Amino acid sequence: MKSVIVGTAGHIDHGKTALVKALTGFDADRLEEEKRRGITIDIGFAHFELPAPGGGRIRVGFVDVPGHERFVRNMLAGVGGIDLVLLVIAADEGIKPQTREHFDICRLLAIRRGITVLTKSDAVDAETLEVVRLEVEDFVRGSFLDTTLDPAKSRMVAVSSLTGAGLDELKSALAQVASEVTANDSAALARLPIDRVFTMKGFGTVVTGTLVAGTIRKEEELELFPSGKRVRVRGVQVHGSPAEAAVAGQRTALNLASLSTEDLARGMTLATADTFRSTSRVDALLSLLPSAKPFKDGASVHFHAYTTETIAEARLYGTKQLKPGDEQYVQFRLSEPALLLPGDRFIVRQFSPVATIGGGLVLDASPLARKQPQYDIATFLTKMMAGSPEQVLAARVARREILGLPLDEVPGEMNIRREEATRLAAAAGLVWCNQVLVSPSAYSAANVHVLRAVKIFHDANPLVAGMSKEELRDRVKLGAEVFHSVLERLVAEKKLGVAGELVHLSGRGVVMKDEEAESKKIIEQAFATAGLKVPSLKEVLAGLKVDKIRAQKIVTLLLRDKVLIKISEELVFHQTALMDLRHKIAALKNSTPKIDVARFKDMTGVSRKYAIPLLEYLDRERVTRRVGDERVIL
């Protein structure tokens, strides 16, 4: 059965609640104070079913809102999730201030369908009723309630809740308009803005709201925003009746486990877990009402979206002041975090005195922290507003430049499922670096950055075989996934080579000047001719023509190539001397399986200063194994 949410709008005492009761049989005034004072203070709810024009049934949920100017904030909490509106105007009073403000709100929220209801028709004669009808027709002309534009989207009906006159016609019109409403997406990620929190005896904590997207099932785990707490759905009710699941477009009550009423409040949102993030900044398109005063950059406003209400500072992009009736890109900096997503509609009200001054569309709820040039922001936000889903994703990835956008963050940024994000990434031609998406141009730039960084390193360090992967990644400021992808590609293209943890340009080895090559030869010969009675490394380096830093790099190169082998902090040997020693020890095993320090000294002709480190080296190399004061030859 199709479900449609209908909201009321209009001035105080124009009969909104009485009309809902006449249609549904439910009194939407639930508070004792409302009944005592005879005015609606907070939003109320009712429902009934209508026969659909083409057969079947339509379940209609009503959100009845207060009409008093003091309770517009409550009205805004209820009107955010409606599919169509009943703009209620009393025939004996006509258009009043809250008629105008509520109507402005409906247009700013981009409500596309509705019915203008002239209530209290029994209180005026036919001639007066016709005058009011003409006045209202002129008032709504050119809007979504203009009956001359598209009768399937809007109608005007005169009724009397007291006598019942016109109610059948209104029900027929409501069924017709409701049948034209596009069904909400029940397959989308779930989101339920909370408008009521209470405790029900025998059940515990209950929240209600209009399910604006997705499906919520019993025993499902949801995430509460902005706190991030997890909560299990113990039970579901739809329009007051138990259900296994609630789908988008239905008035929904959830019985929640593990949370108390103190943990919950109107303005919070329940949503699919592990997907979204609360935000304190949103980039949006703001439309200022023609009746508003000029709007200055940096102004504070009351910001309303669905059931959320908070104070926000508005930072205009590209201008210092917005004229009445104009629109401009703006960043709202919220005083409290909230769950907001691209495509959400919002209303802003003047900070003081409080009055509705504009509204608009959230374009980006994940703005980058760093500053961007104004024209870049305008171009990006225009793409967010008018681009295809593929173009939107491509723009979101491109603005991250060489850092890329992790695939796991796309659903939360774009309010889409992961499967859709994967499909869009392929359609947009993005580069996959494991699970990070990068634009083709940024990926090419990353390749260039890496190659340039390695070349610069080689030029500055000709005596070093290559730079470490860690140093290279830090130099080019790439994330791990993008870095490894770029490195693999450059190696595959034979532009880079990798030896262990060192990265070098292909075909590029150590480049030595004449004095450096001569110094390398001197060092190697000094240790090769010394056998096991090696000189001090410091003494050898002191006799070279090159400076200390270059001399040390030459030694590092000889050690890396295993021409020289360091066996202790002070002793370095030529690899041929150590190889000869290993052969001598192996040959000694034929005559004796063990050797002590004294015999080792006699055999090699070295002092204890050399003998002990050399024996420890042989132990490490598993040529010998120490047992007491002797070594067993292995």
Side-chain angles (χ1 to χ4, degrees):
M1 184 187 303
K2 185 177 184 178
S3 294
V4 174
I5 302 297
V6 179
T8 62
H11 198 73
I12 184 174
D13 203 29
H14 276 206
K16 295 185 294 297
T17 303
L19 176 63
V20 172
K21 186 175 182 180
L23 289 170
T24 68
F26 290 94
D27 185 356
D29 279 346
R30 53 190 172 79
L31 303 178
E32 184 179 332
E33 184 180 357
E34 291 176 317
K35 298 181 185 299
R36 185 179 70 251
R37 295 173 61 184
I39 64 170
T40 299
I41 296 172
D42 202 358
I43 50 178
F45 312 99
H47 60 88
F48 77 142
E49 292 182 9
L50 283 173
R57 308 283 290 176
I58 299 176
R59 179 183 288 135
V60 179
F62 280 94
V63 180
D64 184 37
V65 304
H68 197 286
E69 61 180 338
R70 287 171 52 196
F71 305 123
V72 171
R73 60 196 297 261
N74 289 343
M75 177 265 186
L76 287 165
V79 77
I82 67 174
D83 299 307
L84 63 91
V85 66
L86 299 184
L87 180 64
V88 177
I89 302 172
D92 60 345
E93 290 195 355
I95 298 164
K96 291 291 182 180
Q98 262 22 78
T99 311
R100 298 182 184 279
E101 183 170 17
H102 284 204
F103 184 47
D104 284 338
I105 289 170
C106 290
R107 286 187 291 178
L108 290 168
L109 290 176
I111 296 171
R112 299 297 180 212
R113 289 177 170 80
I115 299 172
T116 306
V117 184
L118 305 180
T119 54
K120 304 185 180 182
S121 62
D122 59 304
V124 297
D125 56 30
E127 186 177 342
T128 302
L129 183 61
E130 184 58 26
V131 170
V132 173
R133 184 188 296 274
L134 292 173
E135 178 190 14
V136 172
E137 284 180 350
D138 186 60
F139 175 63
V140 301
R141 185 166 288 117
S143 74
F144 72 100
L145 287 178
D146 188 340
T147 58
T148 64
L149 295 178
D150 188 349
K153 291 185 176 181
S154 62
R155 300 279 292 277
M156 185 181 297
V157 182
V159 304
S160 169
S161 300
L162 186 63
T163 67
L167 289 180
D168 288 340
E169 182 184 353
L170 176 58
K171 289 179 181 178
S172 176
L174 188 57
Q176 182 61 50
V177 176
S179 68
E180 298 292 331
V181 171
T182 303
N184 293 281
D185 189 358
S186 61
L189 297 165
R191 201 156 45 124
L192 181 78
I194 296 172
D195 53 39
R196 289 180 64 202
V197 179
F198 55 92
T199 300
M200 182 176 289
K201 189 174 181 180
F203 290 91
T205 304
V206 176
V207 299
T208 69
T210 299
L211 186 55
V212 297
T215 300
I216 295 178
R217 296 176 175 83
K218 286 176 63 175
E219 301 302 324
E220 183 175 356
E221 185 179 63
L222 299 175
E223 190 169 350
L224 177 66
F225 292 90
S227 70
K229 293 180 179 178
R230 298 301 185 85
V231 58
R232 179 174 60 84
V233 178
R234 183 182 292 158
V236 178
Q237 281 196 350
V238 174
H239 297 294
S241 300
E244 288 298 312
V247 298
Q250 294 180 333
R251 283 295 305 170
T252 303
L254 302 179
N255 177 208
L256 303 178
S258 73
L259 287 182
S260 68
T261 54
E262 287 74 25
D263 299 315
L264 298 151
R266 174 181 289 180
M268 294 181 176
T269 303
L270 286 167
T272 301
D274 296 322
T275 303
F276 301 113
R277 293 181 183 176
S278 299
T279 183
S280 294
R281 297 191 178 200
V282 293
D283 285 341
L285 180 69
L286 171 65
S287 298
L288 203 62
L289 288 172
S291 58
K293 296 178 181 178
F295 188 79
K296 294 182 179 180
D297 179 47
S300 292
V301 295
H302 296 272
F303 182 94
H304 299 261
Y306 291 114
T307 62
T308 296
E309 175 190 359
T310 188
I311 303 299
E313 178 188 352
R315 306 300 306 191
L316 297 171
Y317 285 127
T319 185
K320 293 297 181 182
Q321 182 170 288
L322 190 58
K323 296 178 182 178
D326 285 354
E327 61 182 22
Q328 181 62 43
Y329 295 132
V330 59
Q331 182 171 100
F332 288 105
R333 301 174 182 179
L334 312 179
S335 61
E336 299 175 2
L339 178 59
L340 293 166
L341 298 174
D344 286 351
R345 307 295 306 197
F346 63 87
I347 298 293
V348 292
R349 307 192 79 213
Q350 189 170 278
F351 189 75
S352 181
V354 180
T356 301
I357 57 173
L361 182 69
V362 173
L363 300 175
D364 182 24
S366 310
L368 299 185
R370 64 181 178 83
K371 272 194 169 286
Q372 293 174 296
Q374 296 286 2
Y375 66 88
D376 281 346
I377 293 175
T379 300
F380 174 77
L381 294 180
T382 299
K383 188 74 71 176
M384 294 302 99
M385 184 170 62
S388 67
E390 293 88 347
Q391 292 171 328
V392 168
L393 177 57
R396 288 184 174 278
V397 170
R399 70 170 173 168
R400 300 291 189 100
E401 299 178 339
I402 59 175
L403 293 178
L405 176 62
L407 182 65
D408 286 344
E409 294 183 19
V410 175
E413 279 205 16
M414 292 183 62
N415 191 21
I416 58 176
R417 292 195 175 276
R418 186 184 176 91
E419 313 86 76
E420 178 67 1
T422 301
R423 186 191 70 79
L424 291 177
L430 299 173
V431 179
W432 288 78
C433 301
N434 194 3
Q435 293 299 302
V436 175
L437 304 175
V438 182
S439 71
S441 60
Y443 190 72
S444 295
N447 280 260
V448 172
H449 293 337
V450 169
L451 283 172
R452 184 184 296 125
V454 177
K455 183 180 185 304
I456 291 172
F457 180 86
H458 277 312
D459 292 343
N461 302 275
L463 299 180
V464 180
M467 68 189 302
S468 71
K469 291 179 182 178
E470 183 178 353
E471 181 184 356
L472 176 58
R473 180 186 159 195
D474 184 64
R475 186 78 59 87
V476 295
K477 308 296 183 187
L478 290 177
E481 294 85 353
V482 178
F483 175 73
H484 290 303
S485 174
V486 169
L487 195 58
E488 287 177 5
R489 175 173 173 174
L490 292 174
V491 170
E493 293 176 346
K494 300 189 183 307
K495 294 178 180 178
L496 287 181
V498 175
E501 285 300 307
L502 294 182
V503 182
H504 60 87
L505 291 174
S506 290
R508 178 71 176 261
V510 174
V511 178
M512 290 188 176
K513 298 178 181 177
D514 290 343
E515 67 269 24
E516 292 166 347
E518 182 183 349
S519 296
K520 177 174 179 284
K521 186 176 180 180
I522 291 171
I523 295 170
E524 185 176 352
Q525 286 182 343
F527 286 94
T529 58
L532 295 177
K533 298 178 182 180
V534 292
S536 162
L537 180 60
K538 186 180 295 186
E539 293 174 359
V540 176
L541 298 186
L544 301 177
K545 294 180 181 180
V546 297
D547 58 79
K548 184 178 179 180
I549 294 176
R550 285 193 290 168
Q552 189 57 57
K553 287 182 178 179
I554 294 170
V555 172
T556 301
L557 182 63
L558 289 168
L559 291 172
R560 191 208 71 186
D561 293 341
K562 299 190 184 302
V563 174
L564 300 182
I565 297 174
K566 192 173 188 179
I567 69 169
S568 71
E569 286 301 316
E570 298 179 356
L571 294 176
V572 175
F573 293 84
H574 197 277
Q575 57 95 11
T576 57
L578 293 178
M579 186 61 66
D580 289 343
L581 175 62
R582 295 176 69 149
H583 290 324
K584 286 180 180 180
I585 296 296
L588 187 63
K589 184 178 181 181
N590 295 327
S591 57
T592 177
K594 296 180 181 179
I595 187 172
D596 57 17
V597 176
R599 188 170 181 184
F600 182 81
K601 288 167 59 180
D602 291 340
M603 182 185 75
T604 58
V606 298
S607 66
R608 187 177 182 85
K609 172 186 175 183
Y610 295 93
I612 298 301
L614 284 168
L615 285 168
E616 290 175 348
Y617 164 75
L618 293 171
D619 291 342
R620 291 195 300 272
E621 293 294 305
R622 301 182 65 80
V623 176
T624 59
R625 182 177 74 247
R626 183 174 179 175
V627 179
D629 292 331
E630 296 181 314
R631 257 78 178 182
V632 176
I633 302 173
L634 301 177

